[in-house]
Amino acid sequence: PGSLDALQSQSPVRPHWKIRPQFGLDVDAPFAEGDQCETLTVVVLRQKESILSDAITELPSGLRIEVQKFAEVEERLRAYIVAGRLQGWITAKSRNKKLHIRKTQTGSGDLKLSDIKVGGVYEVISLVMVREGEALDTPLVAELTRGVVVHIVELGSKSSQRVRVRSEAVQGWITVVSFKGQALLGSSEARAHTTDG
């Protein structure tokens, strides 16, 4: 039998991030690098680890994000995250131990490419960009955040991951699966209120 360290190094399971006790925060954070998470509050996305670095934008509560890495800054747990085309640093856990993000559960309702049909109704579960055309270099029309319901109008001719959708406020082309394979749309209860024809 090898040492515990050796066994842990061989384990395929990522260890949860441990906040160092030198800061007085001796509770494990319930997420790990690479986890899919969502914001619990409005958080400021910044360019660098420091909370004094330039702000990029504010991320709304309920936005799905992917955590890339962590850093400890002034007794805070900072996380470098990706949300759609946005990326930068946010506070994952504050000095008073308040969590600003939580790990999301992989839901069975997440969209599969094989489920996509014209007329289908889905709910945005992560930030998506709406463009005028199917190609990714066409002009940006809008951003749709978590919770927006969209109707699929047309399937892409060049990529099964591109579809034309319409919502109450906008119409255009979006990507339904991220470059890492994460579904950006999920099943919507609104389907129960739709009829054929």
Side-chain angles (χ1 to χ4, degrees):
S3 67
L4 178 60
D5 289 342
L7 291 174
Q8 289 177 335
S9 66
Q10 296 171 7
S11 172
V13 179
R14 293 190 311 273
H16 286 310
W17 176 268
K18 285 194 173 183
I19 306 172
R20 294 176 186 172
Q22 70 193 60
F23 291 128
L25 305 178
D26 54 1
V27 180
D28 288 359
F31 33 72
E33 293 178 356
D35 279 346
Q36 303 295 328
C37 297
E38 67 178 352
T39 54
L40 296 174
T41 62
V42 175
V43 293
V44 179
L45 184 70
R46 296 186 182 275
Q47 291 183 357
K48 299 180 181 180
E49 294 178 18
S50 171
I51 60 173
L52 300 178
S53 65
D54 292 339
I56 299 172
T57 188
E58 285 188 345
L59 302 181
S61 175
L63 180 68
R64 186 166 298 195
I65 61 176
E66 179 178 316
V67 176
Q68 300 278 305
K69 58 184 176 181
F70 294 102
E72 292 169 343
V73 181
E74 297 180 12
E75 301 185 21
R76 296 173 176 86
L77 180 62
R78 300 277 287 165
Y80 186 83
I81 62 94
V82 175
R85 290 181 176 268
L86 294 172
Q87 51 189 330
W89 290 89
I90 65 170
T91 295
K93 190 169 187 177
S94 64
R95 297 174 69 175
N96 62 4
K97 303 184 182 182
K98 179 181 178 182
L99 292 176
H100 293 275
I101 65 175
R102 69 179 174 190
K103 184 177 179 180
T104 56
Q105 300 297 321
T106 302
S108 58
D110 282 357
L111 180 67
K112 299 177 182 178
L113 290 178
S114 59
D115 293 336
I116 300 175
K117 294 179 176 61
V118 172
V121 181
Y122 297 92
E123 182 176 324
V124 175
I125 59 175
S126 187
L127 184 70
V128 295
M129 307 294 177
V130 183
R131 295 188 178 276
E132 285 186 3
E134 182 179 352
L136 293 173
D137 58 357
T138 55
L140 183 66
V141 175
E143 294 179 353
L144 298 181
T145 56
R146 181 181 176 89
V148 175
V149 174
V150 296
H151 298 252
I152 296 180
V153 178
E154 182 181 347
L155 303 181
S157 60
K158 299 178 181 179
S159 171
S160 60
Q161 297 184 9
R162 296 285 289 170
V163 297
R164 186 161 66 92
V165 301
R166 64 176 172 82
S167 68
E168 291 184 356
V170 71
Q171 183 170 190
W173 288 84
I174 67 170
T175 299
V176 296
V177 178
S178 74
F179 72 99
K180 289 197 172 183
Q182 174 193 352
L184 303 179
L185 299 182
S187 59
S188 171
E189 293 181 359
R191 292 188 193 185
H193 305 294
T194 62
T195 56
D196 294 336

